[in-house]
Amino acid sequence: MKEETNMNIHELYKSKLLSCGELAAKVESGWAIIMDAAISEADGLTAALCARAAEGELQGVKVHTMLDVYPYPFYESNGLDGRINGVSWFSSGGARKAINAGYADFIPNYYRDIPGLIRANYRFDAFFASVAPMDENGKFSLSTVGSYSRAAMEKADRIFLEVNEEQPYVPGGIMIDIKDVDFVCENTHALPVLPPSKLDATSIKIGELIAERIPDGACIQLGIGAIPDAVGNALKVKRDLGIHTEMFTDSMVELINCGAVNNSKKQLHPGKTVTTFAYGSQRIYDLLNGNQDILIMDVDYVNDPNVICRNKNMVSINSCIEVDFWGQVCSESVGTRHMSGSGGQVDYVRGAIQSEGGMSFIAFESTAKGGTISKIKPCLAPGAVVTTSKNDVDCIVTEFGIAKLRGRSLAERTKALIAIAHPDFRDELSFEAKKRGIML
Ligand code: COA
C-alpha cells in the first residue's frame, strides 16, 4: 500500500473508507465514545455498534451524547445495559427516559464549560460524527455543529466519520482534514427535523409581551420550544436585529428571510449570525449550505457570558419548569425527575444582564398539567434542581405579564410574581407568602 503522505486526498479517502458495520467492528469492549449535538450524531455507525452489542460482542462501552435526536437502543430500553450505556451532557427524549430509569448517566454542566471539562477530565477512545462529503481540499464540514467537537477530537484517540450527503456544507463552521481522520463510512439519508412547535393563544400572548420590550437593533438568543418560537414570530416587525445564540432555530430563518435580522448593529461579528449548533427544519439546513454569513463556532466561545455581553442590547429568552418567590428558576427537573441539563440558559442569562441595555427573560405558561399546577410557587418542589439562581435571574414572564426581579427585594419579587401567576392561584400564593413572613 502507498504511504499516506504520497496519496492524493481521494486515494486517502478510499484507503480509509469502510462500511458502517466494518467500522463498528473496530470498537472494543470498554471503549468510551463521544458524539456531539443533534444531527452531527453518527447514527448509522452507532446503530451498527448497537447491533454488535445486541449480539453480545461488546461489554462496558460508554457513548457520550449531548442532544440525542435518533432513537438509540441504549436509551430506548435497558436491553443493552452493561453492554452499551449512554452518558448525557444535556439529554432530551431518549436520554431523559434512560436517566430516570437508571440505565444512563448524566453529567451536570454549563454548556460553555463542556470543552474545558473534556480537556481537563476525559480521554475518549473514539469521536464519532456525521459530516458533509469531503471537499476539494480534503476537508469535511462538521456541518451544523461547533459545540464541543474540537475539544472532543483533541481528547479522542481516533476520529471515525460518517459521511451523509444531505449534511449542509458550512464554510463558517468546523472543518476536519482527511489526514486527521482514522476511518470513514458513508450513510446518506434525510436529516432529522424538529416538528414545528404549535403556537397557541398563550404562547402567542407571551411572545407579544416580550417582543414589545425588544428594541430595533437588539441582539437575540432564543431557546428551544413554543414560547421562544412565538417570540421569534412576534419579532418579524422589528428592524436591524442581530443573532448571537446557542441554538440556531427555525424562527431565526424566518427572521432572516423577512429582513428583521441583518446583524448590522452588532458590535461583535457585525453582519454575521453566530451560533454553536443548528437544529430544526430542512429550511435551516438549506440556509446553512454554503452560507458565509452564519458562523458555527465552539461553545466555550459562543456561550461565554463575557463574549455574549460584547453585543449591546443582548436579549435572551428561555423557558423553565417552575420558579419560587426568590426567583430561583428550575429548568431541569420536575421534583427529582430529571428533564434536561442546564444547556446554555445560565450562560445567556449572565451574558444578557452584563450587556449594555441587555435583558434576560425566562418565559412560561403560568400553569402546568391542564391548569392544575401553578409554575410560580412559594418553594421549588423537593428535589428540584436550581438552574438560574436568584442572583442572576432578571425577568420572569407568563401570559399575565412580566415580573422584573433583578435588583429587587424578596417582598418586591414575591409581589411581582404573584401578580403574573394564574388568577386561580394568587390567593393561595399570597397566603403562603404572608405565612412565611414576607412583607407583602
Ligand atoms: N410541575 C409539574 N410538572 C411540570 C411542571 C411543573 N411546574 N412544568 C412542566 N411540567 C411537566 C409537563 O407537564 C410535561 O410533562 P409530560 O412530560 O408528562 O408531558 C413535562 O414537565 C415537560 O414540560 P414542557 O413544558 O413540555 O417542557 P419541555 O419538554 O418543553 O422542556 C425545559 C422545558 C424547561 C426543560 C426546556 O426549556 C429546557 O430544556 N431548559 C433548560 C435548558 C435551556 O434553557 N436551554 C436554552 C438554551 S437552548
Side-chain angles (χ1 to χ4, degrees), residues 90 96 221-224 246-247 318-322 331 334 337 339-345 368-369 373-375 377:
F90 177 72
R96 182 187 281 180
Q221 175 263 333
L222 301 175
I224 193 167
E246 167 182 313
M247 177 168 157
N318 292 293
S319 194
C320 75
I321 304 285
E322 58 183 8
S331 310
V334 175
R337 183 159 65 99
M339 299 299 289
S340 84
S342 307
Q345 181 170 119
K369 299 282 175 206
I373 294 175
S374 173
K375 295 182 76 143
K377 288 187 164 170

Short mmCIF file of all heavy atoms in Angstrom, two decimals, residues 90 96 221-224 246-247 318-322 331 334 337 339-345 368-369 373-375 377, ligand 1:
data_model
loop_
_atom_site.label_atom_id
_atom_site.label_comp_id
_atom_site.label_asym_id
_atom_site.label_seq_id
_atom_site.Cartn_x
_atom_site.Cartn_y
_atom_site.Cartn_z
N PHE A 90 -26.50 16.66 28.29
CA PHE A 90 -27.67 17.55 28.31
C PHE A 90 -28.94 16.70 28.46
O PHE A 90 -29.67 16.85 29.42
CB PHE A 90 -27.74 18.39 27.03
CG PHE A 90 -28.97 19.25 26.97
CD1 PHE A 90 -29.10 20.36 27.79
CD2 PHE A 90 -30.03 18.95 26.11
CE1 PHE A 90 -30.25 21.15 27.77
CE2 PHE A 90 -31.17 19.75 26.07
CZ PHE A 90 -31.28 20.84 26.90
N ARG A 96 -33.41 11.35 28.48
CA ARG A 96 -34.23 11.72 29.64
C ARG A 96 -34.87 10.47 30.27
O ARG A 96 -34.78 10.25 31.46
CB ARG A 96 -35.32 12.69 29.16
CG ARG A 96 -36.22 13.22 30.23
CD ARG A 96 -37.36 14.04 29.63
NE ARG A 96 -36.98 15.40 29.26
CZ ARG A 96 -37.82 16.27 28.72
NH1 ARG A 96 -39.08 15.94 28.48
NH2 ARG A 96 -37.41 17.49 28.41
N GLN A 221 -30.99 35.88 21.56
CA GLN A 221 -30.82 34.44 21.73
C GLN A 221 -32.19 33.87 22.03
O GLN A 221 -32.92 34.40 22.88
CB GLN A 221 -29.89 34.11 22.91
CG GLN A 221 -29.76 32.61 23.22
CD GLN A 221 -30.68 32.14 24.35
OE1 GLN A 221 -31.04 32.91 25.23
NE2 GLN A 221 -31.06 30.88 24.34
N LEU A 222 -32.59 32.84 21.32
CA LEU A 222 -33.87 32.18 21.59
C LEU A 222 -33.59 30.73 21.93
O LEU A 222 -32.82 30.07 21.24
CB LEU A 222 -34.78 32.22 20.37
CG LEU A 222 -35.17 33.59 19.80
CD1 LEU A 222 -35.98 33.42 18.51
CD2 LEU A 222 -35.97 34.38 20.82
N GLY A 223 -34.23 30.21 22.97
CA GLY A 223 -34.10 28.80 23.32
C GLY A 223 -35.01 27.95 22.45
O GLY A 223 -35.53 28.38 21.43
N ILE A 224 -35.23 26.73 22.92
CA ILE A 224 -36.00 25.74 22.16
C ILE A 224 -37.45 25.75 22.65
O ILE A 224 -37.69 25.98 23.82
CB ILE A 224 -35.32 24.36 22.35
CG1 ILE A 224 -35.82 23.31 21.38
CG2 ILE A 224 -35.41 23.87 23.77
CD1 ILE A 224 -34.94 22.05 21.36
N GLU A 246 -27.10 30.16 21.17
CA GLU A 246 -26.57 28.79 21.30
C GLU A 246 -27.09 27.92 20.17
O GLU A 246 -26.34 27.33 19.42
CB GLU A 246 -27.04 28.25 22.64
CG GLU A 246 -26.85 26.78 22.81
CD GLU A 246 -27.39 26.33 24.14
OE1 GLU A 246 -27.08 27.00 25.15
OE2 GLU A 246 -28.13 25.34 24.19
N MET A 247 -28.42 27.88 20.04
CA MET A 247 -29.04 27.03 19.03
C MET A 247 -29.69 27.91 17.97
O MET A 247 -30.44 28.82 18.29
CB MET A 247 -30.11 26.16 19.71
CG MET A 247 -30.88 25.29 18.76
SD MET A 247 -31.83 24.07 19.68
CE MET A 247 -33.11 23.68 18.53
N ASN A 318 -35.61 32.18 27.39
CA ASN A 318 -35.60 30.75 27.66
C ASN A 318 -36.82 30.37 28.48
O ASN A 318 -37.60 31.23 28.86
CB ASN A 318 -34.31 30.38 28.40
CG ASN A 318 -33.09 30.53 27.51
OD1 ASN A 318 -32.92 29.81 26.55
ND2 ASN A 318 -32.26 31.51 27.81
N SER A 319 -36.95 29.07 28.77
CA SER A 319 -38.14 28.61 29.48
C SER A 319 -37.74 27.81 30.72
O SER A 319 -36.55 27.64 30.99
CB SER A 319 -38.99 27.75 28.54
OG SER A 319 -40.26 27.58 29.10
N CYS A 320 -38.72 27.37 31.48
CA CYS A 320 -38.40 26.61 32.70
C CYS A 320 -39.57 25.76 33.15
O CYS A 320 -40.65 25.79 32.56
CB CYS A 320 -37.98 27.56 33.81
SG CYS A 320 -39.36 28.45 34.53
N ILE A 321 -39.34 25.02 34.22
CA ILE A 321 -40.37 24.16 34.81
C ILE A 321 -41.12 24.92 35.91
O ILE A 321 -42.35 24.91 35.96
CB ILE A 321 -39.73 22.88 35.41
CG1 ILE A 321 -38.91 22.11 34.37
CG2 ILE A 321 -40.77 22.00 36.10
CD1 ILE A 321 -39.71 21.34 33.35
N GLU A 322 -40.38 25.56 36.83
CA GLU A 322 -41.03 26.32 37.91
C GLU A 322 -40.09 27.37 38.49
O GLU A 322 -38.87 27.30 38.30
CB GLU A 322 -41.53 25.39 39.02
CG GLU A 322 -40.44 24.55 39.64
CD GLU A 322 -40.97 23.58 40.70
OE1 GLU A 322 -42.19 23.43 40.85
OE2 GLU A 322 -40.13 22.96 41.37
N SER A 331 -35.20 24.55 35.69
CA SER A 331 -35.48 24.24 34.27
C SER A 331 -35.11 22.80 33.95
O SER A 331 -35.11 22.42 32.78
CB SER A 331 -34.66 25.16 33.36
OG SER A 331 -34.79 26.48 33.73
N VAL A 334 -38.57 17.89 37.31
CA VAL A 334 -39.87 18.01 37.97
C VAL A 334 -39.69 17.28 39.29
O VAL A 334 -39.68 16.04 39.31
CB VAL A 334 -41.00 17.40 37.12
CG1 VAL A 334 -42.32 17.42 37.87
CG2 VAL A 334 -41.13 18.14 35.79
N ARG A 337 -37.44 14.17 39.25
CA ARG A 337 -37.44 13.58 37.91
C ARG A 337 -36.65 14.46 36.94
O ARG A 337 -37.01 15.61 36.69
CB ARG A 337 -38.88 13.39 37.40
CG ARG A 337 -38.98 12.72 36.03
CD ARG A 337 -40.35 12.11 35.82
NE ARG A 337 -41.40 13.10 35.77
CZ ARG A 337 -41.95 13.59 34.66
NH1 ARG A 337 -41.54 13.17 33.49
NH2 ARG A 337 -42.92 14.49 34.71
N MET A 339 -35.27 16.21 33.72
CA MET A 339 -35.87 16.60 32.44
C MET A 339 -34.82 16.98 31.41
O MET A 339 -34.94 16.65 30.24
CB MET A 339 -36.81 17.80 32.63
CG MET A 339 -37.97 17.55 33.57
SD MET A 339 -39.05 16.24 32.99
CE MET A 339 -39.82 17.03 31.61
N SER A 340 -33.80 17.75 31.83
CA SER A 340 -32.76 18.16 30.88
C SER A 340 -31.57 18.69 31.66
O SER A 340 -31.63 18.80 32.89
CB SER A 340 -33.28 19.26 29.94
OG SER A 340 -33.16 20.53 30.53
N GLY A 341 -30.51 19.05 30.93
CA GLY A 341 -29.39 19.75 31.56
C GLY A 341 -29.65 21.25 31.58
O GLY A 341 -30.70 21.72 31.13
N SER A 342 -28.65 21.99 32.07
CA SER A 342 -28.78 23.45 32.11
C SER A 342 -28.67 24.03 30.70
O SER A 342 -29.19 25.12 30.45
CB SER A 342 -27.66 24.07 32.94
OG SER A 342 -27.60 23.50 34.21
N GLY A 343 -27.99 23.28 29.82
CA GLY A 343 -27.76 23.84 28.49
C GLY A 343 -27.08 25.19 28.62
O GLY A 343 -26.21 25.41 29.47
N GLY A 344 -27.53 26.14 27.79
CA GLY A 344 -26.92 27.47 27.83
C GLY A 344 -27.75 28.49 28.57
O GLY A 344 -27.47 29.69 28.46
N GLN A 345 -28.76 28.03 29.31
CA GLN A 345 -29.65 29.02 29.94
C GLN A 345 -28.90 30.05 30.79
O GLN A 345 -29.06 31.26 30.62
CB GLN A 345 -30.72 28.32 30.78
CG GLN A 345 -31.67 29.31 31.40
CD GLN A 345 -32.88 28.66 32.05
OE1 GLN A 345 -33.08 28.79 33.25
NE2 GLN A 345 -33.70 27.97 31.28
N ALA A 368 -49.19 24.33 34.75
CA ALA A 368 -48.85 23.06 34.07
C ALA A 368 -49.98 22.07 34.33
O ALA A 368 -50.88 22.34 35.14
CB ALA A 368 -47.53 22.52 34.61
N LYS A 369 -49.92 20.94 33.66
CA LYS A 369 -50.87 19.84 33.87
C LYS A 369 -52.32 20.32 33.78
O LYS A 369 -53.11 20.18 34.73
CB LYS A 369 -50.61 19.14 35.21
CG LYS A 369 -49.22 18.52 35.33
CD LYS A 369 -49.13 17.21 34.59
CE LYS A 369 -47.72 16.64 34.59
NZ LYS A 369 -47.44 15.76 33.47
N ILE A 373 -51.60 22.99 38.21
CA ILE A 373 -50.39 23.31 38.99
C ILE A 373 -49.90 24.70 38.60
O ILE A 373 -49.76 25.00 37.41
CB ILE A 373 -49.26 22.29 38.67
CG1 ILE A 373 -49.64 20.90 39.15
CG2 ILE A 373 -47.93 22.72 39.30
CD1 ILE A 373 -48.63 19.83 38.75
N SER A 374 -49.63 25.56 39.61
CA SER A 374 -49.01 26.86 39.30
C SER A 374 -47.51 26.65 39.13
O SER A 374 -46.87 25.99 39.95
CB SER A 374 -49.26 27.83 40.46
OG SER A 374 -48.52 29.02 40.22
N LYS A 375 -46.94 27.26 38.09
CA LYS A 375 -45.49 27.14 37.89
C LYS A 375 -44.75 28.19 38.73
O LYS A 375 -43.54 28.11 38.86
CB LYS A 375 -45.15 27.26 36.40
CG LYS A 375 -45.74 26.07 35.62
CD LYS A 375 -45.41 26.07 34.15
CE LYS A 375 -44.02 25.66 33.86
NZ LYS A 375 -43.84 24.85 32.65
N LYS A 377 -44.27 29.27 42.46
CA LYS A 377 -44.52 28.55 43.73
C LYS A 377 -43.80 29.24 44.88
O LYS A 377 -42.76 29.87 44.67
CB LYS A 377 -43.95 27.15 43.62
CG LYS A 377 -44.73 26.24 42.71
CD LYS A 377 -44.16 24.87 42.84
CE LYS A 377 -45.08 23.83 42.29
NZ LYS A 377 -44.39 22.54 42.23
N1 COA B 1 -44.84 20.83 37.73
C1 COA B 1 -45.08 19.58 37.30
N2 COA B 1 -44.91 19.19 36.03
C2 COA B 1 -44.48 20.10 35.15
C3 COA B 1 -44.21 21.44 35.51
C4 COA B 1 -44.42 21.79 36.87
N3 COA B 1 -44.18 23.02 37.30
N4 COA B 1 -43.80 22.11 34.43
C5 COA B 1 -43.78 21.24 33.41
N5 COA B 1 -44.18 20.04 33.85
C6 COA B 1 -44.28 18.82 33.09
C7 COA B 1 -45.14 18.96 31.82
O1 COA B 1 -46.50 18.74 32.09
C8 COA B 1 -44.54 17.89 30.94
O2 COA B 1 -44.99 16.64 31.42
P1 COA B 1 -45.08 15.35 30.45
O3 COA B 1 -43.64 15.04 30.06
O4 COA B 1 -45.66 14.31 31.34
O5 COA B 1 -45.94 15.81 29.33
C9 COA B 1 -43.06 17.97 31.29
O6 COA B 1 -42.99 18.53 32.60
C10 COA B 1 -42.25 18.84 30.32
O7 COA B 1 -42.82 20.12 30.27
P2 COA B 1 -42.75 21.00 28.96
O8 COA B 1 -43.37 22.30 29.26
O9 COA B 1 -43.28 20.20 27.80
O10 COA B 1 -41.20 21.20 28.85
P3 COA B 1 -40.18 20.94 27.65
O11 COA B 1 -40.00 19.49 27.42
O12 COA B 1 -40.59 21.82 26.51
O13 COA B 1 -38.86 21.48 28.30
C11 COA B 1 -37.46 22.83 29.66
C12 COA B 1 -38.84 22.64 29.08
C13 COA B 1 -37.52 23.88 30.68
C14 COA B 1 -37.00 21.55 30.30
C15 COA B 1 -36.56 23.27 28.48
O14 COA B 1 -36.84 24.57 28.16
C16 COA B 1 -35.11 23.14 28.81
O15 COA B 1 -34.52 22.18 28.44
N6 COA B 1 -34.50 24.10 29.54
C17 COA B 1 -33.14 24.04 30.06
C18 COA B 1 -32.09 24.36 29.06
C19 COA B 1 -32.27 25.66 28.38
O16 COA B 1 -32.92 26.57 28.80
N7 COA B 1 -31.66 25.79 27.24
C20 COA B 1 -31.80 27.03 26.49
C21 COA B 1 -30.75 27.28 25.56
S1 COA B 1 -31.14 26.44 24.00
#
